[in-house]
Amino acid sequence: MFKVKTYNQISVKGLERFPRADYEVGSNINHPDGILLRSHKLHNEALAETVLCVARAGAGVNNIPLEQYTQRGVVVFNTPGANANAVKELVLAGLLLGSRGVLTGIEYVQSLNHLKDAAEMSKLLEAEKKRFAGNELYGSTLGVVGLGAIGSMVAEMALALGMKVVGYDPALSVDAAWRLPNRVERMENLHSLLSRADYITLHVPALDATKDMINHDTLQSVKPGARLLNFARDAIVHTAAIVDSLESEQGLGMYICDFPEPRLMGRNDVVAMPHIGASTAEAEENCAVMAADQLMEFIQHGNIKNSVNFPAVNMPRAEGCCRITFTNDNVSGVLGNVLSIFTENNVNVIDMMNKSRGNVAYNILDVESMPNDTIIDRLRRVEHVISVRVLPE
């Protein structure tokens, strides 16, 4: 029986994906094959020798020590796109809050609870409503930084609202490019986008390459009065630079984000939400289901989809065969050394796949018959091999 340890509260729909006859799932498992979690930080957690994979029910994986896990041959999954619609809808709310005096208007109305006469209140509001006037989104320009699953959905939504959309993504994948509406104008660099956009929305992951990408230098290019939306990660903006830009006559007009911090509080030009971008029942269910399915596919068949540290690999199992998978340092000669052991022992390889990503390589081999323990032990002792698994039919 396979074992999966859970952290945080995982949606029941995700937990129900695991067949009870084959999986033991719970928060008190000591020697799991897989880990399923949301935001729990694993950096200070001891990693059990039995762990094969970790699935984060969400997009960001900064709560997982990727380098350490990769060196151990542990595959880390995330769930890109599962919460995209939830974030997209909150971005729409952010755009509307940034374009009109909705929040200040509501606060003003709530301050009038001393008035008891409806006619008097109506007359006062008619006189004061001009204080909360704003602009329509229609015809304005939205700059989308990061054109992946969420960014492409936001771009499509903005086009449907009659906005013009410019986009920038230095790491745009082929799949993302196919999803992107053809009316999105691609910008060559971030500075060009910032100088064009009335509204800017960020949808990039938190990586070393994106840390503080919105900073004093990049904000020099911003269109005066532009609204900046950050529903991605707090680490991609330099908060002091945001405040300085808001206080400059030629800088930002408003900052709308999902990541409050003390220096942003008490400002009329900041709308800060309590990290609720993916906080919908539907998003949590979608993330949990995707994460569970990816764990099971890897544990049972060795296939990898949506990993952040291993290559994508999907090979249908040859009928009647035993499957061997192994991870190794991405150096030449390792696969040849493994295959030579099979040749010496008359183990017939029916099908195989080899993929690499960065410093790690991953291999699937379907063999005609189950190799004995001596052969598997020799595979594990091949230089640069990190881990070996045997997956019977």
Side-chain angles (χ1 to χ4, degrees):
M1 176 174 282
F2 303 114
K3 297 181 179 181
V4 175
K5 181 179 179 66
T6 61
Y7 292 92
N8 310 117
Q9 186 173 348
I10 306 297
S11 167
V12 173
K13 285 197 174 182
L15 299 177
E16 288 176 343
R17 304 290 288 186
F18 296 101
R20 293 186 179 181
D22 302 318
Y23 285 85
E24 180 183 354
V25 181
S27 59
N28 296 316
I29 294 174
N30 294 321
H31 302 288
D33 299 288
I35 293 174
L36 177 58
L37 79 166
R38 291 172 60 194
S39 58
H40 180 83
K41 297 185 185 303
L42 293 178
H43 291 274
N44 296 320
E45 298 273 353
L47 180 64
E49 292 290 335
T50 56
V51 174
L52 305 170
C53 51
V54 176
R56 158 79 160 97
V61 290
N62 53 335
N63 57 323
I64 302 170
L66 286 181
E67 184 175 354
Q68 174 193 343
Y69 283 23
T70 304
Q71 292 172 352
R72 287 274 299 272
V74 175
V75 181
V76 178
F77 300 97
N78 69 346
T79 56
N83 61 7
N85 190 72
V87 177
K88 178 200 77 174
E89 291 185 359
L90 197 62
V91 169
L92 174 58
L95 288 170
L96 294 170
L97 293 176
S99 65
R100 305 177 70 168
V102 176
L103 291 178
T104 50
I106 291 172
E107 290 171 359
Y108 176 71
V109 169
Q110 293 298 316
S111 72
L112 302 179
N113 56 4
H114 61 284
L115 296 179
K116 305 304 179 184
D117 183 85
E120 182 184 359
M121 179 178 288
S122 177
K123 183 178 179 180
L124 177 62
L125 292 176
E126 190 64 29
E128 296 293 331
K129 69 180 183 181
K130 59 181 177 294
R131 292 167 48 190
F132 313 110
N135 300 99
E136 296 183 13
L137 297 175
Y138 185 91
S140 61
T141 299
L142 175 67
V144 182
V145 182
L147 298 166
I150 298 175
S152 60
M153 291 181 70
V154 168
E156 188 172 1
M157 173 191 71
L159 290 170
L161 290 170
M163 301 181 77
K164 302 169 187 173
V165 180
V166 295
Y168 170 69
D169 191 333
L172 186 64
S173 68
V174 174
D175 287 343
W178 277 107
R179 288 196 302 266
L180 198 62
N182 58 17
R183 287 187 289 157
V184 175
E185 183 180 352
R186 291 277 304 279
M187 296 285 99
E188 293 299 321
N189 54 62
L190 181 58
H191 289 274
S192 296
L193 181 142
L194 294 177
S195 68
R196 286 273 305 276
D198 302 299
Y199 300 84
I200 305 119
T201 181
L202 308 175
H203 300 290
V204 295
L207 307 170
D208 289 342
T210 61
K211 181 176 174 56
D212 291 341
M213 69 182 301
I214 302 298
N215 53 49
H216 285 96
D217 176 55
T218 53
L219 286 172
Q220 293 300 311
S221 301
V222 76
K223 189 174 181 179
R227 270 59 173 157
L228 175 65
L229 289 78
N230 180 17
F231 291 92
R233 291 291 167 190
D234 54 352
I236 65 179
V237 304
H238 190 282
T239 307
I242 295 291
V243 173
D244 287 347
S245 184
L246 289 170
E247 293 177 351
S248 167
E249 291 185 2
Q250 299 300 310
L252 290 170
M254 185 172 286
Y255 181 50
I256 302 106
C257 71
D258 211 12
F259 311 100
E261 59 175 278
R263 74 182 81 184
L264 296 174
M265 298 299 95
R267 299 188 62 95
N268 293 330
D269 49 11
V270 171
V271 176
M273 304 178 195
H275 202 182
I276 57 174
S279 296
T280 67
E282 294 87 351
E284 291 181 9
E285 290 172 358
N286 292 340
C287 288
V289 168
M290 184 183 292
D293 288 350
Q294 290 168 177
L295 277 182
M296 288 190 290
E297 184 64 23
F298 178 72
I299 290 173
Q300 293 177 230
H301 304 294
N303 292 319
I304 299 176
K305 181 179 180 181
N306 293 329
S307 172
V308 297
N309 64 335
F310 270 63
V313 181
N314 183 26
M315 189 175 91
R317 295 190 73 154
E319 187 174 350
C321 290
C322 171
R323 173 160 286 190
I324 310 293
T325 70
F326 70 94
T327 302
N328 61 276
D329 297 323
N330 188 19
V331 297
S332 62
V334 180
L335 178 58
N337 292 335
V338 168
L339 292 176
S340 67
I341 293 174
F342 286 148
T343 301
E344 292 171 17
N345 292 274
N346 297 315
V347 176
N348 187 29
V349 177
I350 303 299
D351 198 2
M352 64 175 291
M353 183 172 287
N354 165 265
K355 293 284 186 71
S356 64
R357 178 172 180 173
N359 295 324
V360 69
Y362 181 72
N363 311 263
I364 299 178
L365 299 92
D366 283 351
V367 296
E368 196 169 31
S369 57
M370 171 84 75
N372 59 43
D373 291 344
T374 301
I375 295 173
I376 298 302
D377 184 58
R378 285 190 62 189
L379 298 182
R380 291 194 172 104
R381 288 188 284 111
V382 171
E383 187 177 9
H384 295 296
V385 166
I386 298 171
S387 61
V388 179
R389 295 177 61 208
V390 180
L391 289 71
E393 183 185 1

